[in-house]
Amino acid sequence: MKRRNLLKSGAMLGGAVGLGNLQQGQAAGTMQCVTERSHNHKFIGKPDSRSQLNTPALILDLDLAENNIGVMAAHCKKAGLKLRPHCKTHKCVKLAELQVKHGAIGVCAATIGEAEAMVRGVIDGILITRPVVTPEQVERLIALKEISADVMIVVDNMENVMALETANGGKESPLRLVVDMDINDHRTGCTDIEHAVKLARYINESDSLTFSGVQGYAGRAQHIVAMEERRRAVVMSNKIISELVAELTTAGLKPGIVSGGGTGTFDMLNIDNIFTELQAGSYVVMDTQYNEVWTEDNKRPPFETALFVQTVVISNNHPGFVTTDAGQKRFAKDAGQPVIAKGAPDGSTYMTAGDEHGFVMFEGQSGHAALGQRIECLTPHCDPTINLFDEYHCVRGNTLVDIWSIDARGA
């Protein structure tokens, strides 16, 4: 009943009405609702509670996550980069707070819904990294900006820019826009420098808009395993951004923000000293997809895997495998099958076997796992896997220490 009343009250946001109550404690109310309905809340603080959870459970190792946050913060400080990490990975206000505490200047958000969740959690410095174009979402954006004036959004189209200008006309504060440049990903972004400069000039001359900078995200480069090939891809992408920054500077429009990069390219993004800030997100928790980036020459990933899905054996009647309670509704499989981290015999592999079932396949027919035996898996792709859960089960060692809401799930 509490959850139903919360939803009816508009706490999930969606338009100016819900947004108007953002700073009246809804974040705490939402967190309380999720925590109270968790069947695992009773285990918080109990010894060995990691092995008592109701499953499937998404586990966040706080010691490892905090270490990752510190490693990235130290890198950015040394490299002369500001850090605006992407919240599309973790979708969690608590994790965003930790990143800001360690020096992040805000967060990136992939959607207007994620941005709303972060503002609801009183996170400032939000950059929405893809355009919004429908009237409804534009309305939500302007309402969001009225609450958090430093919200920014990328644009790559004059029609969209003019619509945003009209929507924000007469408002007290201008809407901050960042021109998105396509640097060979071909998803969003201006396709040529002349177009990007034209947009920046128009924005700069508008009374209701502010030109804040440029974005260039090389998504395809993030997962190139061969380091030199990955570096070449970064150099090629950086060349486009460098030319754009030069043209803008000549036009008297030197961008204050040059934003881009990700976990796979964090250590080579600024080889040309072009970028001012890094957008990496997955480094906080990692996954098998990113772990593979550093497999060349047996290199160790610079960040620890802090995210696991815990499942239990629910049937062991057949030789060669057992069945678990975590299927394709618990793992995003666009990057392959989960990888077993612990709990199964050496050589075992995991595969989803339907919506709610998984198989642990033994290397030989003599393998065995008992009913109720707990198995933890690394996620193939962290971002969409996290989006399949309501909450993180935060552990230190073998103890459950807290449960955190995945605030922007589905946003």
Side-chain angles (χ1 to χ4, degrees):
M1 183 60 69
K2 284 186 179 180
R3 177 170 171 79
R4 183 177 298 173
N5 290 339
L6 182 64
L7 291 170
K8 286 182 177 180
S9 73
M12 297 303 290
L13 291 186
V17 175
L19 284 167
N21 297 320
L22 280 180
Q23 297 184 355
Q24 298 179 15
Q26 286 186 351
T30 304
M31 180 74 74
Q32 183 182 25
C33 175
V34 172
T35 303
E36 284 181 352
R37 70 183 176 82
S38 171
H39 295 291
N40 290 318
H41 185 262
K42 61 187 177 183
F43 297 121
I44 292 176
K46 293 186 176 181
D48 200 34
S49 45
R50 182 170 181 165
S51 63
Q52 300 174 50
L53 302 175
N54 288 276
T55 58
L58 188 67
I59 291 180
L60 177 67
D61 188 310
L62 281 182
D63 292 328
L64 298 180
E66 288 170 353
N67 182 70
N68 291 342
I69 289 170
V71 168
M72 184 63 88
H75 165 78
C76 287
K77 184 176 182 180
K78 183 177 180 180
L81 283 167
K82 295 178 180 178
L83 178 61
R84 198 188 306 267
H86 230 302
C87 76
K88 73 182 178 68
T89 295
H90 57 68
K91 291 178 170 280
C92 175
V93 169
K94 288 286 190 181
L95 277 169
E97 288 175 346
L98 274 178
Q99 291 171 314
V100 171
K101 180 181 178 181
H102 284 78
I105 59 173
V107 295
C108 290
T111 68
I112 187 70
E114 287 178 355
E116 287 169 340
M118 292 299 112
V119 170
R120 185 166 61 231
V122 200
I123 301 297
D124 296 321
I126 297 168
L127 170 61
I128 303 172
T129 59
R130 72 175 190 185
V132 298
V133 300
T134 64
E136 292 79 7
Q137 291 199 355
V138 169
E139 180 183 0
R140 289 165 65 185
L141 172 65
I142 301 304
L144 195 64
K145 186 268 302 180
E146 291 296 285
I147 295 166
S148 183
D150 64 353
V151 166
M152 298 177 287
I153 190 165
V154 304
V155 291
D156 66 1
N157 183 283
M158 183 63 77
E159 181 182 349
N160 184 216
V161 170
M162 295 174 71
L164 294 174
E165 180 183 37
T166 299
N168 199 50
K171 300 294 185 181
E172 186 174 340
S173 61
L175 175 64
R176 301 180 64 188
L177 301 184
V178 172
V179 173
D180 188 17
M181 187 71 195
D182 182 4
I183 53 176
N184 296 322
D185 263 27
H186 305 326
R187 295 193 301 192
T188 62
C190 299
T191 55
D192 61 73
I193 290 174
E194 182 181 0
H195 179 203
V197 173
K198 183 179 179 180
L199 286 184
R201 183 175 287 114
Y202 184 94
I203 295 165
N204 187 63
E205 294 173 354
S206 171
D207 292 334
S208 59
L209 304 173
T210 294
F211 172 60
S212 291
V214 297
Q215 171 182 270
Y217 177 66
R220 294 184 182 183
Q222 302 307 316
H223 296 287
I224 298 174
V225 173
M227 185 181 69
E228 287 307 315
E229 184 181 347
R230 191 162 72 251
R231 185 182 295 273
R232 285 194 296 271
V234 170
V235 170
M236 186 180 302
S237 299
N238 283 13
K239 184 174 184 294
I240 299 172
I241 292 297
S242 180
E243 291 174 359
L244 173 57
V245 170
E247 288 290 332
L248 288 168
T249 302
T250 299
L253 297 167
K254 184 178 180 179
I257 292 172
V258 183
S259 186
T263 298
T265 60
F266 82 100
D267 55 350
M268 55 184 68
L269 173 70
N270 223 23
I271 51 180
D272 300 316
N273 294 313
I274 299 165
F275 285 84
T276 64
E277 63 180 49
L278 174 66
Q279 295 185 359
S282 298
Y283 74 92
V284 178
V285 294
M286 295 294 282
D287 55 28
T288 61
Q289 194 175 28
Y290 265 118
N291 284 338
E292 290 170 0
V293 172
W294 286 277
T295 56
E296 186 184 43
D297 299 327
N298 296 316
K299 292 177 181 174
R300 180 180 175 84
F303 307 103
E304 301 288 342
T305 302
L307 186 76
F308 307 90
V309 173
Q310 186 183 102
T311 180
V312 299
V313 175
I314 60 172
S315 180
N316 61 358
N317 293 334
H318 298 281
F321 72 95
V322 292
T323 304
T324 70
D325 63 356
Q328 19 192 69
K329 287 185 178 179
R330 297 301 178 177
F331 294 101
K333 288 172 49 188
D334 57 309
Q337 293 284 351
V339 172
I340 296 173
K342 64 179 182 179
D346 290 344
S348 300
T349 56
Y350 199 96
M351 63 178 291
T352 56
D355 289 353
E356 308 293 355
H357 300 85
F359 288 156
V360 174
M361 313 295 295
F362 302 129
E363 192 171 31
Q365 293 295 305
S366 60
H368 176 75
L371 288 181
Q373 185 165 322
R374 293 173 186 273
I375 294 161
E376 291 188 9
C377 295
L378 312 184
T379 66
H381 189 178
C382 54
D383 305 34
T385 296
I386 289 169
N387 198 50
L388 297 173
F389 289 84
D390 292 319
E391 55 206 11
Y392 292 103
H393 295 84
C394 303
V395 302
R396 294 193 187 277
N398 290 319
T399 301
L400 177 71
V401 297
D402 210 347
I403 295 175
W404 290 354
S405 169
I406 301 174
D407 308 279
R409 179 191 178 185

